[in-house]
Amino acid sequence: MTNAYDLAHKRSLQDPAGFWGDAAKEIDWYKPWDQVLDASNPPFYRWFSGAMCNTCYNAVDRHVEKGRADQAAIIYDSPVTNTIRTYTYREVQDQVSRLAGVLAGLGVVKGDRVIVYMPMIPEAAFAMLACARIGAIHSVVFGGFAANELATRINDALPKVILSASCGIEVSKVIPYKPLLDHAIELSDHKPSHTVVLQRPQAVAEMQAGRDLDWADAVAKATPAACVPVAATDPLYILYTSGTTGQPKGVVRDNGGHMVALKWSMKNVYNVEPGEVYWAASDVGWVVGHSYIVYAPLLNGNTTLMYEGKPVGTPDAGAFWRVIAQHKVETLFTAPTAFRAIKRDDPDGDLLKTYDLSHFRTLFLAGERSDPDTLKWAEDKLKVPVIDHWWQTETGWAIAANCMGLEQFPVKHGSPTKAVPGWDVQVLDEGHHQAPAGQVGALVVKLPLPPGTLPTLWNADERFLSSYMEEFPGYYKTADAGFIDEDGYVYVMSRTDDIINVAGHRLSTGAMEEVLASHPDVAECAVIGVHDTMKGQLPLGFLVLKAGVKKPEEQILKEVVALVRERIGPVAAFKTATIVKRLPKTRSGKILRGTMQKIADHQDFKMPATIDDPSILEEIEEDLTRIGYAKARPEAE
Ligand code: COA
Ligand code: AMP
């Protein structure tokens, strides 16, 4: 054991307090911790208990005080509005402290919740940092969700204020946000006392006198607010993510452990030095956006890039290369689906040849499984290391990666390499025993989880326990299945629950089934994720209609597609459903979604021993063939 990775990984597991206590020296604290790791109430582990700190101070103010005031903190590059604008750390401090002053003026104090419903503009980052500055807990809601999803989050988080913008821009489509926001507030039982809305010229929002404030006006008039010391264990944010029902899970992130882990990851996982330009091409509405558009690069004194555009269509598949060349980006982090889209439009990488990418060093991919073809294409065209890494909303940062700042291991295509220091990743079989190398089982992490991971779910300790901690006592259940090979490389193969991954977006088929089941003509339904060459997976719905329904089937199908869009949002990409006579089930009545998915995707499958009526699978096969998904035959017994 001689390499830096092995040493770090071993120490992090044998002496977590020493390891993370050292890493914590990179953060400025108002008061040091009593304990690095408080293990007094497992599985509710707490990091840096007793310490006082402020995340905004560490991300912004300390850089202004210590020599980075005039360095670019945020570059906003928006091909959809034809805008490029740079904000220095000093300018970010000014904007953030004023916005924090607006919130304080509206009565927001430490511990209050603020929902942020915004597109990919710098004000979204200002909003998050302004909350952090005064100890308010932000909850960012992705713009592609419908009013109903926003309302669910309002009812759970009970925000005092909502920060928003008049619209988002999707390629050339202007999506007015304010009507969605108004509708969500109408739908929710809880009413925020105020909204602060940034008017964008592409769509001017109608404001409700007394409740809605104009962002620019309010910020111009505000008295800047100072950073408020908070406990390291106080929540910084809540980020809702898909669970197995329509009720999303509010993943909580703390302040102290989060800062320590993210700061550590910038050097050790991404090999990024302060001052460099770092670009995570994601959205502030997702965990990647929280951790690697906003917090980690700013904590590390980098220039972070906020890109309001797509990998293709804004204007073409050369958009990423243009941004990398123009802003001298050293490190890019995005989802494989973005590269599949680029590869589809420019298979030979012709557009790449027109840009100077000589300073570009590493591409990181996460959010979904990196298919080896896409990974090889990126390696071949970019001629830099392409690093797959595995993580989840819950974990906040990478569980497995090729830690470029520690030791660069040979890439094995299809594997995100090894467990990152801090993570004791294991594979357990059905009997909860450690599986031998190469055998697929449940991917779990031995407790305690490292800093920066979820301490619990918002107001839902019981759900935290039942979702993650109960099935494998002493371990965190990732709900991913996979294996670890004889060299310690982790392979993440599939989810063990009903979550599907559509264009790097995590969605619950259970939530879609709840929507389909609410249609008056639907007796029963199932949603599965089928393979898609660009988005990775797409949802596909099966409906069994109630007896005696007279309405034309085509119309019902259109209605359910519209219903999912209206209730969950366009991001669900639910475009295909089919009507079947019956659904295949086990004798105990469980719908055989896994078998249906295998049939749809041409995969071999074993006839489930508990199937009630095997002939239904033939009907499903015929139906899938009719709508363009070919069939596969069961393996001979
Ligand atoms: N606000 C409003 N609507 C949004 C939205 C937002 N922030 N983001 C997406 N949508 C809408 C899209 O306009 C689209 O609507 P449509 O059905 O009317 O066309 C729908 O939601 C689906 O969007 P998306 O899944 O993004 O598909 P797309 O076809 O527009 O683009 C990609 C496909 C691959 C180019 C795109 O998904 C992409 O850039 N992915 C990058 C991956 C990523 O950022 N992952 C985040 C985790 S790392
Ligand atoms: P999210 O919470 O949206 O980040 O989604 C997390 C899920 O995405 C994980 O549980 C995995 O199923 C999947 N995922 C993320 N990154 C990877 C990866 N590198 N390889 C395989 N699956 C991944």
Side-chain angles (χ1 to χ4, degrees):
M1 181 174 294
T2 49
N3 70 60
Y5 162 81
D6 284 332
L7 288 171
H9 191 252
K10 188 171 172 210
R11 180 172 178 228
S12 72
L13 302 192
Q14 287 180 346
D15 176 21
F19 184 88
W20 292 111
D22 280 353
K25 292 178 188 150
E26 296 280 316
I27 298 299
D28 284 358
W29 306 86
Y30 297 118
K31 175 179 172 288
W33 47 90
D34 302 326
Q35 266 183 304
V36 173
L37 172 62
D38 174 358
S40 58
N41 183 27
F44 296 94
Y45 293 91
R46 302 311 316 256
W47 289 92
F48 304 103
S49 52
M52 299 297 286
C53 56
N54 185 281
T55 296
C56 180
Y57 175 78
N58 277 279
V60 181
D61 297 61
R62 74 162 169 167
H63 299 308
V64 175
E65 291 166 13
K66 295 181 186 169
R68 295 192 187 279
D70 298 319
Q71 180 197 306
I74 298 177
I75 299 174
Y76 167 53
D77 185 309
S78 169
V80 296
T81 60
N82 209 12
T83 312
I84 291 176
R85 173 140 193 224
T86 298
Y87 293 82
T88 63
Y89 272 97
R90 196 195 309 279
E91 286 169 319
V92 171
Q93 185 188 38
D94 180 54
Q95 290 291 322
V96 169
S97 55
R98 284 172 180 282
L99 185 59
V102 173
L103 291 173
L106 294 175
V108 176
V109 295
K110 183 154 98 177
D112 282 343
R113 273 80 58 212
V114 172
I115 280 189
V116 178
Y117 185 58
M118 298 189 69
M120 273 296 292
I121 54 178
E123 286 80 1
F126 302 159
M128 294 160 75
L129 292 161
C131 293
R133 193 170 187 85
I134 56 169
I137 303 165
H138 62 70
S139 186
V140 183
V141 179
F142 178 62
F145 282 123
N148 185 60
E149 290 284 321
L150 180 55
T152 310
R153 287 153 176 78
I154 294 174
N155 275 336
D156 198 66
L158 310 178
K160 207 171 242 177
V161 171
I162 300 185
L163 299 173
S164 190
S166 58
C167 65
I169 302 158
E170 282 291 293
V171 190
S172 54
K173 265 184 309 183
V174 174
I175 318 267
Y177 276 21
K178 187 62 175 19
L180 287 167
L181 175 59
D182 289 340
H183 187 40
I185 297 175
E186 235 171 74
L187 290 173
S188 58
D189 301 324
H190 170 81
K191 311 288 174 198
S193 59
H194 289 92
T195 77
V196 184
V197 180
L198 182 85
Q199 293 283 13
R200 305 186 78 189
Q202 294 78 11
V204 177
E206 265 186 43
M207 305 289 266
Q208 187 177 310
R211 188 194 70 182
D212 303 337
L213 270 70
D214 179 87
W215 183 300
D217 265 9
V219 165
K221 287 189 211 135
T223 313
C227 293
V228 171
V230 298
T233 50
D234 278 344
L236 169 69
Y237 70 74
I238 307 165
L239 177 57
Y240 289 90
T241 189
S242 301
T244 46
T245 65
Q247 179 66 28
K249 294 168 169 166
V251 168
V252 174
R253 196 82 59 211
D254 70 12
N255 277 274
H258 179 240
M259 282 195 279
V260 173
L262 290 191
K263 173 77 175 92
W264 181 89
S265 74
M266 286 305 276
K267 172 65 196 154
N268 293 283
V269 176
Y270 298 97
N271 199 20
V272 169
E273 298 296 340
E276 293 181 357
V277 184
Y278 180 91
W279 178 22
S282 176
D283 188 287
V284 283
W286 306 116
V287 68
V288 174
H290 282 62
S291 295
Y292 291 103
I293 295 174
V294 180
Y295 288 114
L298 296 180
L299 287 167
N300 201 43
N302 291 111
T303 300
T304 186
L305 210 133
M306 291 189 75
Y307 175 69
E308 191 182 26
K310 299 261 175 182
V312 294
T314 56
D316 57 28
F320 275 22
W321 324 137
R322 195 268 302 158
V323 173
I324 292 173
Q326 189 165 349
H327 304 298
K328 303 226 171 334
V329 172
E330 269 116 349
T331 307
L332 169 65
F333 174 174
T334 192
T337 190
F339 268 75
R340 288 197 295 270
I342 295 170
K343 182 171 122 200
R344 183 198 58 187
D345 282 15
D346 182 19
D348 298 326
D350 288 334
L351 293 164
L352 245 172
K353 296 171 194 145
T354 56
Y355 296 99
D356 172 13
L357 304 192
S358 51
H359 48 277
F360 182 55
R361 223 172 39 226
T362 323
L363 168 67
F364 287 87
L365 298 174
E368 56 175 323
R369 188 175 150 75
S370 276
D371 55 290
D373 278 356
T374 305
L375 209 130
K376 283 183 203 152
W377 184 86
E379 284 175 335
D380 180 47
K381 298 293 175 250
L382 289 167
K383 313 232 175 320
V384 297
V386 179
I387 306 299
D388 177 19
H389 60 326
W390 167 52
W391 52 298
Q392 310 179 311
T393 305
E394 288 85 346
T395 68
W397 62 290
I399 312 168
N402 205 338
C403 288
M404 300 298 279
L406 285 171
E407 188 76 33
Q408 188 181 343
F409 290 107
V411 168
K412 293 194 192 183
H413 295 128
S415 165
T417 317
K418 302 192 185 198
V420 172
W423 299 90
D424 187 354
V425 180
Q426 301 186 11
V427 178
L428 299 186
D429 65 17
E430 281 169 8
H432 294 197
H433 301 113
Q434 271 197 45
Q439 186 180 304
V440 174
L443 283 164
V444 296
V445 184
K446 191 158 188 300
L447 298 177
L449 293 177
T453 52
L454 81 169
T456 189
L457 294 173
W458 181 249
N459 280 341
D461 284 349
E462 275 309 314
R463 192 173 181 201
F464 168 75
L465 295 175
S466 62
S467 303
Y468 306 110
M469 301 295 168
E470 270 168 10
E471 189 171 342
F472 304 100
Y475 297 88
Y476 163 77
K477 178 176 88 170
T478 65
D480 279 314
F483 63 94
I484 301 179
D485 75 6
E486 56 292 340
D487 299 322
Y489 281 59
V490 178
Y491 288 76
V492 184
M493 308 307 290
S494 59
R495 290 285 301 197
T496 57
D497 55 12
D498 73 347
I499 299 292
I500 58 170
N501 205 310
V502 179
H505 308 321
R506 170 171 161 177
L507 298 163
S508 158
T509 54
M512 293 185 218
E513 288 179 3
E514 281 177 24
V515 175
L516 299 185
S518 73
H519 188 284
D521 298 327
V522 172
E524 249 194 321
C525 63
V527 175
I528 59 170
V530 290
H531 176 73
D532 180 73
T533 45
M534 213 258 284
K535 295 197 174 188
Q537 281 185 301
L538 275 178
L540 173 64
F542 295 83
L543 313 174
V544 178
L545 300 185
K546 288 180 181 160
V549 169
K550 296 277 182 316
K551 207 185 270 176
E553 292 193 349
E554 274 311 300
Q555 191 183 333
I556 295 173
L557 292 175
K558 271 196 197 136
E559 284 172 6
V560 294
V561 167
L563 207 57
V564 175
R565 196 177 171 92
E566 182 196 310
R567 298 262 183 88
I568 298 180
V571 68
F574 183 85
K575 305 232 156 118
T576 316
T578 177
I579 292 169
V580 293
K581 284 203 266 324
R582 301 174 294 174
L583 290 170
K585 290 186 187 165
T586 61
R587 281 189 285 277
S588 60
K590 212 165 157 258
I591 298 173
L592 290 162
R593 294 179 183 80
T595 311
M596 290 160 77
Q597 179 259 316
K598 286 199 163 67
I599 296 174
D601 284 348
H602 278 259
Q603 291 169 0
D604 290 341
F605 67 94
K606 279 206 165 65
M607 184 62 76
T610 54
I611 191 164
D612 184 34
D613 178 355
S615 70
I616 303 181
L617 286 183
E618 281 164 33
E619 292 170 21
I620 293 285
E621 251 178 310
E622 274 167 31
D623 204 73
L624 281 166
T625 310
R626 184 177 55 74
I627 61 167
Y629 295 88
K631 53 189 178 177
R633 289 268 160 226
E635 275 172 25
E637 286 294 317

